[in-house]
Amino acid sequence: MNLFDFALTMELDGEAYYKELAAKTSHPDLKAVLEGLAAEERRHYNIIKAAQSGEWGTVPEQPALSDVPNVFADKTFELVDQECTIPRLKAESIDLYRAALDKEKESVTLYQELGQKAANPEEKTLCQKLREEEQKHVELMDNIIEMLNRVQDWVESAEFNHQEIY
């Protein structure tokens, strides 16, 4: 499997992962974010496909990629925040965002490692661009989780909790 094929597979698996999570949630806002992330993974797929067939040319096979884990292949999901007290911020919401954040962080690390091992400049460029795209997703998920936690913290102790304005 070459780097392009691996990246294409990973992006399709990411799209399927987010669509599956979106289908499992009943919260419209959470569903919209997850569907947006699925669309982003499809956009990444299209970028890789264009690069594969266009200006970057072909990349030789890399047998080492057959041993690299696809971060979206593991579909296990556990609720870790069972004690959320605000009805709108159920454990499902926060935990889904946390699970998505973990997957995105794994993607960033994976593309960084693959970029370091890349055999030619085209592969390095592809990995760098994909890492940057996945880093944007990390920042998005991190901001959403921070916002949800701030709301929960404020409701729990509004009189004594002075947070910075966001």
Side-chain angles (χ1 to χ4, degrees), residues 17-27 30-31 34-35 75-77 92 96:
Y17 174 79
Y18 287 124
K19 282 183 176 180
E20 183 179 330
L21 289 180
K24 289 180 181 179
T25 186
S26 59
H27 303 290
L30 177 57
K31 186 180 289 269
L34 294 170
E35 288 172 349
K75 300 205 185 228
T76 58
F77 173 74
E92 174 190 9
L96 279 173

mmCIF file with all atom_site columns, all heavy atoms in Angstrom, residues 17-27 30-31 34-35 75-77 92 96:
data_model
loop_
_atom_site.group_PDB
_atom_site.id
_atom_site.type_symbol
_atom_site.label_atom_id
_atom_site.label_alt_id
_atom_site.label_comp_id
_atom_site.label_asym_id
_atom_site.label_entity_id
_atom_site.label_seq_id
_atom_site.pdbx_PDB_ins_code
_atom_site.Cartn_x
_atom_site.Cartn_y
_atom_site.Cartn_z
_atom_site.occupancy
_atom_site.B_iso_or_equiv
_atom_site.pdbx_formal_charge
_atom_site.auth_seq_id
_atom_site.auth_comp_id
_atom_site.auth_asym_id
_atom_site.auth_atom_id
_atom_site.pdbx_PDB_model_num
ATOM 1   N N   . TYR A 1 17 ? -16.742 6.963  10.464 1.00 0.00 ? 17 TYR A N   1
ATOM 2   C CA  . TYR A 1 17 ? -16.733 7.057  11.929 1.00 0.00 ? 17 TYR A CA  1
ATOM 3   C C   . TYR A 1 17 ? -17.628 8.203  12.394 1.00 0.00 ? 17 TYR A C   1
ATOM 4   O O   . TYR A 1 17 ? -18.489 8.035  13.251 1.00 0.00 ? 17 TYR A O   1
ATOM 5   C CB  . TYR A 1 17 ? -15.297 7.255  12.412 1.00 0.00 ? 17 TYR A CB  1
ATOM 6   C CG  . TYR A 1 17 ? -15.145 7.500  13.897 1.00 0.00 ? 17 TYR A CG  1
ATOM 7   C CD1 . TYR A 1 17 ? -15.211 6.441  14.802 1.00 0.00 ? 17 TYR A CD1 1
ATOM 8   C CD2 . TYR A 1 17 ? -14.927 8.776  14.398 1.00 0.00 ? 17 TYR A CD2 1
ATOM 9   C CE1 . TYR A 1 17 ? -15.060 6.648  16.158 1.00 0.00 ? 17 TYR A CE1 1
ATOM 10  C CE2 . TYR A 1 17 ? -14.769 8.996  15.754 1.00 0.00 ? 17 TYR A CE2 1
ATOM 11  C CZ  . TYR A 1 17 ? -14.832 7.935  16.636 1.00 0.00 ? 17 TYR A CZ  1
ATOM 12  O OH  . TYR A 1 17 ? -14.677 8.156  17.968 1.00 0.00 ? 17 TYR A OH  1
ATOM 13  N N   . TYR A 1 18 ? -17.443 9.385  11.798 1.00 0.00 ? 18 TYR A N   1
ATOM 14  C CA  . TYR A 1 18 ? -18.239 10.541 12.208 1.00 0.00 ? 18 TYR A CA  1
ATOM 15  C C   . TYR A 1 18 ? -19.701 10.398 11.812 1.00 0.00 ? 18 TYR A C   1
ATOM 16  O O   . TYR A 1 18 ? -20.596 10.821 12.544 1.00 0.00 ? 18 TYR A O   1
ATOM 17  C CB  . TYR A 1 18 ? -17.653 11.837 11.654 1.00 0.00 ? 18 TYR A CB  1
ATOM 18  C CG  . TYR A 1 18 ? -16.379 12.221 12.362 1.00 0.00 ? 18 TYR A CG  1
ATOM 19  C CD1 . TYR A 1 18 ? -15.208 12.436 11.657 1.00 0.00 ? 18 TYR A CD1 1
ATOM 20  C CD2 . TYR A 1 18 ? -16.345 12.365 13.742 1.00 0.00 ? 18 TYR A CD2 1
ATOM 21  C CE1 . TYR A 1 18 ? -14.030 12.780 12.313 1.00 0.00 ? 18 TYR A CE1 1
ATOM 22  C CE2 . TYR A 1 18 ? -15.183 12.705 14.409 1.00 0.00 ? 18 TYR A CE2 1
ATOM 23  C CZ  . TYR A 1 18 ? -14.035 12.911 13.689 1.00 0.00 ? 18 TYR A CZ  1
ATOM 24  O OH  . TYR A 1 18 ? -12.891 13.247 14.347 1.00 0.00 ? 18 TYR A OH  1
ATOM 25  N N   . LYS A 1 19 ? -19.982 9.787  10.665 1.00 0.00 ? 19 LYS A N   1
ATOM 26  C CA  . LYS A 1 19 ? -21.375 9.561  10.272 1.00 0.00 ? 19 LYS A CA  1
ATOM 27  C C   . LYS A 1 19 ? -22.054 8.597  11.228 1.00 0.00 ? 19 LYS A C   1
ATOM 28  O O   . LYS A 1 19 ? -23.223 8.758  11.573 1.00 0.00 ? 19 LYS A O   1
ATOM 29  C CB  . LYS A 1 19 ? -21.438 9.024  8.838  1.00 0.00 ? 19 LYS A CB  1
ATOM 30  C CG  . LYS A 1 19 ? -21.238 10.099 7.798  1.00 0.00 ? 19 LYS A CG  1
ATOM 31  C CD  . LYS A 1 19 ? -21.377 9.542  6.394  1.00 0.00 ? 19 LYS A CD  1
ATOM 32  C CE  . LYS A 1 19 ? -21.274 10.655 5.369  1.00 0.00 ? 19 LYS A CE  1
ATOM 33  N NZ  . LYS A 1 19 ? -21.408 10.148 3.993  1.00 0.00 ? 19 LYS A NZ  1
ATOM 34  N N   . GLU A 1 20 ? -21.310 7.579  11.656 1.00 0.00 ? 20 GLU A N   1
ATOM 35  C CA  . GLU A 1 20 ? -21.857 6.610  12.601 1.00 0.00 ? 20 GLU A CA  1
ATOM 36  C C   . GLU A 1 20 ? -22.171 7.277  13.939 1.00 0.00 ? 20 GLU A C   1
ATOM 37  O O   . GLU A 1 20 ? -23.234 7.048  14.519 1.00 0.00 ? 20 GLU A O   1
ATOM 38  C CB  . GLU A 1 20 ? -20.857 5.471  12.805 1.00 0.00 ? 20 GLU A CB  1
ATOM 39  C CG  . GLU A 1 20 ? -21.340 4.359  13.702 1.00 0.00 ? 20 GLU A CG  1
ATOM 40  C CD  . GLU A 1 20 ? -20.324 3.248  13.850 1.00 0.00 ? 20 GLU A CD  1
ATOM 41  O OE1 . GLU A 1 20 ? -19.544 3.009  12.901 1.00 0.00 ? 20 GLU A OE1 1
ATOM 42  O OE2 . GLU A 1 20 ? -20.296 2.627  14.922 1.00 0.00 ? 20 GLU A OE2 1
ATOM 43  N N   . LEU A 1 21 ? -21.257 8.120  14.428 1.00 0.00 ? 21 LEU A N   1
ATOM 44  C CA  . LEU A 1 21 ? -21.514 8.838  15.680 1.00 0.00 ? 21 LEU A CA  1
ATOM 45  C C   . LEU A 1 21 ? -22.704 9.781  15.527 1.00 0.00 ? 21 LEU A C   1
ATOM 46  O O   . LEU A 1 21 ? -23.532 9.898  16.436 1.00 0.00 ? 21 LEU A O   1
ATOM 47  C CB  . LEU A 1 21 ? -20.282 9.619  16.121 1.00 0.00 ? 21 LEU A CB  1
ATOM 48  C CG  . LEU A 1 21 ? -19.091 8.820  16.642 1.00 0.00 ? 21 LEU A CG  1
ATOM 49  C CD1 . LEU A 1 21 ? -17.961 9.755  17.040 1.00 0.00 ? 21 LEU A CD1 1
ATOM 50  C CD2 . LEU A 1 21 ? -19.477 7.921  17.801 1.00 0.00 ? 21 LEU A CD2 1
ATOM 51  N N   . ALA A 1 22 ? -22.791 10.452 14.382 1.00 0.00 ? 22 ALA A N   1
ATOM 52  C CA  . ALA A 1 22 ? -23.909 11.375 14.143 1.00 0.00 ? 22 ALA A CA  1
ATOM 53  C C   . ALA A 1 22 ? -25.238 10.625 14.137 1.00 0.00 ? 22 ALA A C   1
ATOM 54  O O   . ALA A 1 22 ? -26.247 11.129 14.643 1.00 0.00 ? 22 ALA A O   1
ATOM 55  C CB  . ALA A 1 22 ? -23.714 12.119 12.824 1.00 0.00 ? 22 ALA A CB  1
ATOM 56  N N   . ALA A 1 23 ? -25.244 9.427  13.583 1.00 0.00 ? 23 ALA A N   1
ATOM 57  C CA  . ALA A 1 23 ? -26.472 8.643  13.531 1.00 0.00 ? 23 ALA A CA  1
ATOM 58  C C   . ALA A 1 23 ? -26.902 8.178  14.924 1.00 0.00 ? 23 ALA A C   1
ATOM 59  O O   . ALA A 1 23 ? -28.097 7.981  15.171 1.00 0.00 ? 23 ALA A O   1
ATOM 60  C CB  . ALA A 1 23 ? -26.278 7.434  12.615 1.00 0.00 ? 23 ALA A CB  1
ATOM 61  N N   . LYS A 1 24 ? -25.948 8.035  15.832 1.00 0.00 ? 24 LYS A N   1
ATOM 62  C CA  . LYS A 1 24 ? -26.254 7.542  17.172 1.00 0.00 ? 24 LYS A CA  1
ATOM 63  C C   . LYS A 1 24 ? -26.743 8.619  18.127 1.00 0.00 ? 24 LYS A C   1
ATOM 64  O O   . LYS A 1 24 ? -27.289 8.310  19.173 1.00 0.00 ? 24 LYS A O   1
ATOM 65  C CB  . LYS A 1 24 ? -25.013 6.886  17.786 1.00 0.00 ? 24 LYS A CB  1
ATOM 66  C CG  . LYS A 1 24 ? -24.641 5.569  17.155 1.00 0.00 ? 24 LYS A CG  1
ATOM 67  C CD  . LYS A 1 24 ? -23.416 5.000  17.833 1.00 0.00 ? 24 LYS A CD  1
ATOM 68  C CE  . LYS A 1 24 ? -23.011 3.684  17.212 1.00 0.00 ? 24 LYS A CE  1
ATOM 69  N NZ  . LYS A 1 24 ? -21.810 3.138  17.841 1.00 0.00 ? 24 LYS A NZ  1
ATOM 70  N N   . THR A 1 25 ? -26.525 9.874  17.800 1.00 0.00 ? 25 THR A N   1
ATOM 71  C CA  . THR A 1 25 ? -26.903 10.939 18.726 1.00 0.00 ? 25 THR A CA  1
ATOM 72  C C   . THR A 1 25 ? -28.269 11.516 18.387 1.00 0.00 ? 25 THR A C   1
ATOM 73  O O   . THR A 1 25 ? -28.679 11.543 17.237 1.00 0.00 ? 25 THR A O   1
ATOM 74  C CB  . THR A 1 25 ? -25.848 12.066 18.758 1.00 0.00 ? 25 THR A CB  1
ATOM 75  O OG1 . THR A 1 25 ? -26.207 12.991 19.783 1.00 0.00 ? 25 THR A OG1 1
ATOM 76  C CG2 . THR A 1 25 ? -25.755 12.784 17.439 1.00 0.00 ? 25 THR A CG2 1
ATOM 77  N N   . SER A 1 26 ? -28.951 11.957 19.434 1.00 0.00 ? 26 SER A N   1
ATOM 78  C CA  . SER A 1 26 ? -30.260 12.577 19.228 1.00 0.00 ? 26 SER A CA  1
ATOM 79  C C   . SER A 1 26 ? -30.178 14.095 19.352 1.00 0.00 ? 26 SER A C   1
ATOM 80  O O   . SER A 1 26 ? -31.175 14.781 19.173 1.00 0.00 ? 26 SER A O   1
ATOM 81  C CB  . SER A 1 26 ? -31.245 12.018 20.261 1.00 0.00 ? 26 SER A CB  1
ATOM 82  O OG  . SER A 1 26 ? -30.772 12.279 21.566 1.00 0.00 ? 26 SER A OG  1
ATOM 83  N N   . HIS A 1 27 ? -29.004 14.621 19.678 1.00 0.00 ? 27 HIS A N   1
ATOM 84  C CA  . HIS A 1 27 ? -28.831 16.065 19.838 1.00 0.00 ? 27 HIS A CA  1
ATOM 85  C C   . HIS A 1 27 ? -28.547 16.716 18.488 1.00 0.00 ? 27 HIS A C   1
ATOM 86  O O   . HIS A 1 27 ? -27.535 16.422 17.860 1.00 0.00 ? 27 HIS A O   1
ATOM 87  C CB  . HIS A 1 27 ? -27.690 16.364 20.810 1.00 0.00 ? 27 HIS A CB  1
ATOM 88  C CG  . HIS A 1 27 ? -27.871 15.735 22.149 1.00 0.00 ? 27 HIS A CG  1
ATOM 89  N ND1 . HIS A 1 27 ? -28.833 16.146 23.033 1.00 0.00 ? 27 HIS A ND1 1
ATOM 90  C CD2 . HIS A 1 27 ? -27.233 14.708 22.752 1.00 0.00 ? 27 HIS A CD2 1
ATOM 91  C CE1 . HIS A 1 27 ? -28.771 15.406 24.121 1.00 0.00 ? 27 HIS A CE1 1
ATOM 92  N NE2 . HIS A 1 27 ? -27.807 14.524 23.973 1.00 0.00 ? 27 HIS A NE2 1
ATOM 93  N N   . LEU A 1 30 ? -25.037 18.539 18.176 1.00 0.00 ? 30 LEU A N   1
ATOM 94  C CA  . LEU A 1 30 ? -23.940 17.572 18.134 1.00 0.00 ? 30 LEU A CA  1
ATOM 95  C C   . LEU A 1 30 ? -23.940 16.848 16.793 1.00 0.00 ? 30 LEU A C   1
ATOM 96  O O   . LEU A 1 30 ? -22.887 16.643 16.183 1.00 0.00 ? 30 LEU A O   1
ATOM 97  C CB  . LEU A 1 30 ? -24.082 16.573 19.285 1.00 0.00 ? 30 LEU A CB  1
ATOM 98  C CG  . LEU A 1 30 ? -23.058 15.446 19.361 1.00 0.00 ? 30 LEU A CG  1
ATOM 99  C CD1 . LEU A 1 30 ? -21.640 16.002 19.421 1.00 0.00 ? 30 LEU A CD1 1
ATOM 100 C CD2 . LEU A 1 30 ? -23.330 14.575 20.572 1.00 0.00 ? 30 LEU A CD2 1
ATOM 101 N N   . LYS A 1 31 ? -25.118 16.490 16.319 1.00 0.00 ? 31 LYS A N   1
ATOM 102 C CA  . LYS A 1 31 ? -25.241 15.820 15.023 1.00 0.00 ? 31 LYS A CA  1
ATOM 103 C C   . LYS A 1 31 ? -24.666 16.695 13.904 1.00 0.00 ? 31 LYS A C   1
ATOM 104 O O   . LYS A 1 31 ? -23.939 16.216 13.034 1.00 0.00 ? 31 LYS A O   1
ATOM 105 C CB  . LYS A 1 31 ? -26.700 15.485 14.738 1.00 0.00 ? 31 LYS A CB  1
ATOM 106 C CG  . LYS A 1 31 ? -26.925 14.653 13.480 1.00 0.00 ? 31 LYS A CG  1
ATOM 107 C CD  . LYS A 1 31 ? -28.391 14.361 13.264 1.00 0.00 ? 31 LYS A CD  1
ATOM 108 C CE  . LYS A 1 31 ? -28.930 13.392 14.242 1.00 0.00 ? 31 LYS A CE  1
ATOM 109 N NZ  . LYS A 1 31 ? -28.888 11.995 13.912 1.00 0.00 ? 31 LYS A NZ  1
ATOM 110 N N   . LEU A 1 34 ? -20.809 16.669 14.062 1.00 0.00 ? 34 LEU A N   1
ATOM 111 C CA  . LEU A 1 34 ? -20.272 15.381 13.606 1.00 0.00 ? 34 LEU A CA  1
ATOM 112 C C   . LEU A 1 34 ? -20.432 15.205 12.098 1.00 0.00 ? 34 LEU A C   1
ATOM 113 O O   . LEU A 1 34 ? -19.536 14.689 11.422 1.00 0.00 ? 34 LEU A O   1
ATOM 114 C CB  . LEU A 1 34 ? -20.937 14.236 14.370 1.00 0.00 ? 34 LEU A CB  1
ATOM 115 C CG  . LEU A 1 34 ? -20.615 14.188 15.867 1.00 0.00 ? 34 LEU A CG  1
ATOM 116 C CD1 . LEU A 1 34 ? -21.511 13.191 16.576 1.00 0.00 ? 34 LEU A CD1 1
ATOM 117 C CD2 . LEU A 1 34 ? -19.146 13.874 16.109 1.00 0.00 ? 34 LEU A CD2 1
ATOM 118 N N   . GLU A 1 35 ? -21.564 15.644 11.560 1.00 0.00 ? 35 GLU A N   1
ATOM 119 C CA  . GLU A 1 35 ? -21.758 15.571 10.114 1.00 0.00 ? 35 GLU A CA  1
ATOM 120 C C   . GLU A 1 35 ? -20.796 16.512 9.389  1.00 0.00 ? 35 GLU A C   1
ATOM 121 O O   . GLU A 1 35 ? -20.315 16.206 8.303  1.00 0.00 ? 35 GLU A O   1
ATOM 122 C CB  . GLU A 1 35 ? -23.209 15.874 9.755  1.00 0.00 ? 35 GLU A CB  1
ATOM 123 C CG  . GLU A 1 35 ? -24.149 14.745 10.142 1.00 0.00 ? 35 GLU A CG  1
ATOM 124 C CD  . GLU A 1 35 ? -25.627 15.086 9.979  1.00 0.00 ? 35 GLU A CD  1
ATOM 125 O OE1 . GLU A 1 35 ? -25.966 16.278 9.756  1.00 0.00 ? 35 GLU A OE1 1
ATOM 126 O OE2 . GLU A 1 35 ? -26.449 14.154 10.088 1.00 0.00 ? 35 GLU A OE2 1
ATOM 127 N N   . LYS A 1 75 ? -13.607 1.167  16.752 1.00 0.00 ? 75 LYS A N   1
ATOM 128 C CA  . LYS A 1 75 ? -14.877 1.871  16.895 1.00 0.00 ? 75 LYS A CA  1
ATOM 129 C C   . LYS A 1 75 ? -15.437 1.768  18.305 1.00 0.00 ? 75 LYS A C   1
ATOM 130 O O   . LYS A 1 75 ? -16.601 2.026  18.530 1.00 0.00 ? 75 LYS A O   1
ATOM 131 C CB  . LYS A 1 75 ? -15.881 1.318  15.895 1.00 0.00 ? 75 LYS A CB  1
ATOM 132 C CG  . LYS A 1 75 ? -15.390 1.493  14.491 1.00 0.00 ? 75 LYS A CG  1
ATOM 133 C CD  . LYS A 1 75 ? -16.504 1.529  13.526 1.00 0.00 ? 75 LYS A CD  1
ATOM 134 C CE  . LYS A 1 75 ? -15.921 1.582  12.188 1.00 0.00 ? 75 LYS A CE  1
ATOM 135 N NZ  . LYS A 1 75 ? -16.065 2.234  11.181 1.00 0.00 ? 75 LYS A NZ  1
ATOM 136 N N   . THR A 1 76 ? -14.605 1.390  19.270 1.00 0.00 ? 76 THR A N   1
ATOM 137 C CA  . THR A 1 76 ? -15.099 1.305  20.640 1.00 0.00 ? 76 THR A CA  1
ATOM 138 C C   . THR A 1 76 ? -15.323 2.701  21.188 1.00 0.00 ? 76 THR A C   1
ATOM 139 O O   . THR A 1 76 ? -14.588 3.627  20.890 1.00 0.00 ? 76 THR A O   1
ATOM 140 C CB  . THR A 1 76 ? -14.104 0.558  21.551 1.00 0.00 ? 76 THR A CB  1
ATOM 141 O OG1 . THR A 1 76 ? -12.856 1.231  21.521 1.00 0.00 ? 76 THR A OG1 1
ATOM 142 C CG2 . THR A 1 76 ? -13.928 -0.878 21.094 1.00 0.00 ? 76 THR A CG2 1
ATOM 143 N N   . PHE A 1 77 ? -16.351 2.841  21.985 1.00 0.00 ? 77 PHE A N   1
ATOM 144 C CA  . PHE A 1 77 ? -16.692 4.137  22.547 1.00 0.00 ? 77 PHE A CA  1
ATOM 145 C C   . PHE A 1 77 ? -17.286 3.912  23.921 1.00 0.00 ? 77 PHE A C   1
ATOM 146 O O   . PHE A 1 77 ? -18.189 3.126  24.090 1.00 0.00 ? 77 PHE A O   1
ATOM 147 C CB  . PHE A 1 77 ? -17.700 4.842  21.645 1.00 0.00 ? 77 PHE A CB  1
ATOM 148 C CG  . PHE A 1 77 ? -18.231 6.108  22.237 1.00 0.00 ? 77 PHE A CG  1
ATOM 149 C CD1 . PHE A 1 77 ? -17.445 7.239  22.293 1.00 0.00 ? 77 PHE A CD1 1
ATOM 150 C CD2 . PHE A 1 77 ? -19.494 6.140  22.758 1.00 0.00 ? 77 PHE A CD2 1
ATOM 151 C CE1 . PHE A 1 77 ? -17.925 8.389  22.861 1.00 0.00 ? 77 PHE A CE1 1
ATOM 152 C CE2 . PHE A 1 77 ? -19.991 7.304  23.314 1.00 0.00 ? 77 PHE A CE2 1
ATOM 153 C CZ  . PHE A 1 77 ? -19.210 8.430  23.364 1.00 0.00 ? 77 PHE A CZ  1
ATOM 154 N N   . GLU A 1 92 ? -23.438 11.916 26.947 1.00 0.00 ? 92 GLU A N   1
ATOM 155 C CA  . GLU A 1 92 ? -23.260 11.540 25.547 1.00 0.00 ? 92 GLU A CA  1
ATOM 156 C C   . GLU A 1 92 ? -22.568 12.642 24.757 1.00 0.00 ? 92 GLU A C   1
ATOM 157 O O   . GLU A 1 92 ? -21.622 12.396 24.024 1.00 0.00 ? 92 GLU A O   1
ATOM 158 C CB  . GLU A 1 92 ? -24.620 11.232 24.924 1.00 0.00 ? 92 GLU A CB  1
ATOM 159 C CG  . GLU A 1 92 ? -24.552 10.969 23.437 1.00 0.00 ? 92 GLU A CG  1
ATOM 160 C CD  . GLU A 1 92 ? -25.931 10.917 22.803 1.00 0.00 ? 92 GLU A CD  1
ATOM 161 O OE1 . GLU A 1 92 ? -26.930 11.243 23.458 1.00 0.00 ? 92 GLU A OE1 1
ATOM 162 O OE2 . GLU A 1 92 ? -25.981 10.546 21.625 1.00 0.00 ? 92 GLU A OE2 1
ATOM 163 N N   . LEU A 1 96 ? -18.817 12.201 23.367 1.00 0.00 ? 96 LEU A N   1
ATOM 164 C CA  . LEU A 1 96 ? -18.646 12.090 21.923 1.00 0.00 ? 96 LEU A CA  1
ATOM 165 C C   . LEU A 1 96 ? -17.599 13.084 21.426 1.00 0.00 ? 96 LEU A C   1
ATOM 166 O O   . LEU A 1 96 ? -16.763 12.760 20.595 1.00 0.00 ? 96 LEU A O   1
ATOM 167 C CB  . LEU A 1 96 ? -19.971 12.310 21.197 1.00 0.00 ? 96 LEU A CB  1
ATOM 168 C CG  . LEU A 1 96 ? -20.896 11.102 21.132 1.00 0.00 ? 96 LEU A CG  1
ATOM 169 C CD1 . LEU A 1 96 ? -22.240 11.496 20.537 1.00 0.00 ? 96 LEU A CD1 1
ATOM 170 C CD2 . LEU A 1 96 ? -20.288 9.981  20.335 1.00 0.00 ? 96 LEU A CD2 1
#
